[in-house]
Amino acid sequence: MAVTLAIDAMSGDHGPVVTVPAALDFLRRDADCAIALVGREPVLRPLVAATAAEFGSRLRLVHASEVVEMDESISSALRGKKDSSMRVATELVKNGEAQAAVSAGNTAALMGISRFVLKTLPGIERPAIASIVPTISGYCYMLDLGANVDCLPEHLLQFAIMGAMLYAALEHSERPSVGLLNIGEESIKGNEAVKRAGDLLKASGLNFRGNVEGDAIYRGVVDVVVCDGFVGNVALKASEGVAHMMAAALREEFGRNLLTRLAALAAMPVLSAFKRRFDPRRYNGGSLLGLTGVVVKSHGSADALAFFCAMQRAAEAARNRLPERIAARMVQQEQAA
């Protein structure tokens, strides 16, 4: 399936310096994809002038005069900047000119604009943010990662359905296993919302494996881990902190003296493989689930490789008709209720 991605080219900490090279690289690697670079045309045109003929109609510029800043409020972005690159990119999805939008901008603003422009799917009360988390056996998908701090049991059920459909669409596995993040595996553990959500999940028809504790995320016990946005965001940020701490400690220990530096040289192939396996850039790209279109949020500090990976996730979600999958599964859920 041919896919057009709408790229918020002005977004992120680095803006077009990162987004444009990533987009051009993506076009070279994916012949079935087209890209609409959205942003200030006088800024973007010189960056693509040398390569525009190479891609022809597969690359076009869409002018947007405004930019949503990283610290801007949702109301300011939504009401005060109707011609922002973020909003114009999202509207291209709504109008059918693109099948997915990718932005490295302000997460709250992107969620607010996407929800306003695209609307939520029938049966979905709250969109959620889902992303890939590396595990011992590969990776899993986890949601929500910060969009919804306070959740009802029904919201957690909806997150589970959306996460399962995301995994099915991107990993081509029709019955992914789902776990509910909790403080213990026993069904009696957790607060009332989580316990009630467990009951709903058992009756949902999903491949629900029960409660999972925090360590199970990285052991790869389940394919999809479900939690509210408060817990998910804290777990994700704590994990990132541990990863940075371990990397810093390894550099310190290997650089301690001549002997340890020699040991580092000997271990270089293993260290390089380890770094590549758990490189956070390769897991970049959080899907905003529950909307009528595909929107992917890249990390704000993403480099070209990380932004490229976010674009890959967006293209795969669009090709595999993720919103339609979620909508169909929600209909089944309502009929079974």
Side-chain angles (χ1 to χ4, degrees):
M1 173 185 171
V3 169
T4 297
L5 300 182
I7 305 301
D8 177 7
M10 311 304 294
S11 63
D13 296 341
H14 310 295
V17 175
V18 161
T19 58
V20 173
L24 298 179
D25 188 27
F26 192 83
L27 284 175
R28 292 188 182 98
R29 299 195 197 190
D30 193 329
D32 292 327
C33 190
I35 284 177
L37 282 175
V38 184
R40 290 170 175 157
E41 190 170 344
V43 175
L44 299 178
R45 188 164 293 283
L47 298 176
V48 302
T51 56
E54 177 185 350
F55 305 114
S57 62
R58 294 174 58 217
L59 175 65
R60 69 183 180 112
L61 302 184
V62 178
H63 179 64
S65 61
E66 298 171 312
V67 177
V68 174
E69 302 299 333
M70 295 299 282
D71 59 350
E72 197 157 352
S73 69
I74 298 176
S75 59
S76 174
L78 190 58
R79 299 171 189 165
K81 291 188 173 179
K82 296 182 180 180
D83 196 44
S84 70
S85 54
M86 183 182 288
R87 179 155 179 172
V88 173
T90 309
E91 287 176 341
L92 290 177
V93 178
K94 177 186 178 181
N95 298 334
E97 297 180 59
Q99 285 69 55
V102 184
S103 175
N106 181 324
T107 302
L110 180 62
M111 178 62 85
I113 288 172
S114 298
R115 188 170 185 178
F116 176 79
V117 172
L118 296 173
K119 313 305 181 188
T120 55
L121 291 165
I124 299 295
E125 297 177 27
R126 297 185 182 183
I129 301 174
S131 192
I132 293 178
V133 177
T135 69
I136 293 173
S137 57
Y139 49 82
C140 69
Y141 288 74
M142 185 172 174
L143 74 164
D144 178 33
L145 296 180
N148 303 281
V149 175
D150 297 307
C151 295
L152 297 173
E154 291 76 14
H155 298 147
L156 295 175
L157 171 62
Q158 292 168 21
F159 298 167
I161 292 171
M162 293 190 292
M165 294 303 99
L166 175 66
Y167 191 96
L170 271 58
E171 306 302 329
H172 310 291
S173 172
E174 291 305 316
R175 278 188 59 77
S177 55
V178 177
L180 182 62
L181 190 61
N182 203 344
I183 58 172
E185 295 182 0
E186 301 86 353
S187 60
I188 61 171
K189 292 289 184 69
N191 57 34
E192 290 305 313
V194 171
K195 287 190 283 188
R196 175 58 183 152
D199 294 335
L200 294 176
L201 284 165
K202 289 175 186 175
S204 67
L206 295 172
N207 185 13
F208 180 54
R209 300 291 181 83
N211 293 332
V212 295
E213 296 184 79
D215 65 319
I217 300 171
Y218 302 98
R219 288 192 287 115
V221 172
V222 292
D223 300 318
V224 179
V225 177
V226 177
C227 57
D228 65 50
F230 184 92
V231 171
N233 192 269
V234 170
L236 184 67
K237 295 299 173 61
S239 303
E240 290 174 352
V242 170
H244 288 308
M245 179 192 69
M246 291 179 64
L250 280 172
R251 286 193 295 269
E252 181 180 344
E253 293 302 325
F254 275 124
R256 193 169 293 279
N257 54 51
L258 178 60
L259 184 60
T260 57
R261 286 194 288 272
L262 290 173
L265 286 174
M268 192 61 68
V270 174
L271 292 173
S272 296
F274 180 87
K275 182 179 179 180
R276 178 180 175 80
R277 180 176 174 183
F278 295 104
D279 186 347
R281 298 177 300 171
R282 298 185 181 278
Y283 301 96
N284 184 48
S287 299
L288 275 57
L289 301 179
L291 303 168
T292 61
V294 175
V295 178
V296 170
K297 168 66 173 71
S298 166
H299 200 290
S301 63
D303 62 9
L305 172 60
F307 198 81
F308 176 93
C309 291
M311 293 172 66
Q312 276 188 317
R313 305 204 193 293
E316 280 300 298
R319 284 192 175 110
N320 289 282
R321 301 183 181 280
L322 177 59
E324 291 87 345
R325 283 174 177 260
I326 294 174
R329 186 60 179 79
M330 288 305 299
V331 170
Q332 292 178 13
Q333 191 65 35
E334 290 177 4
Q335 290 174 344

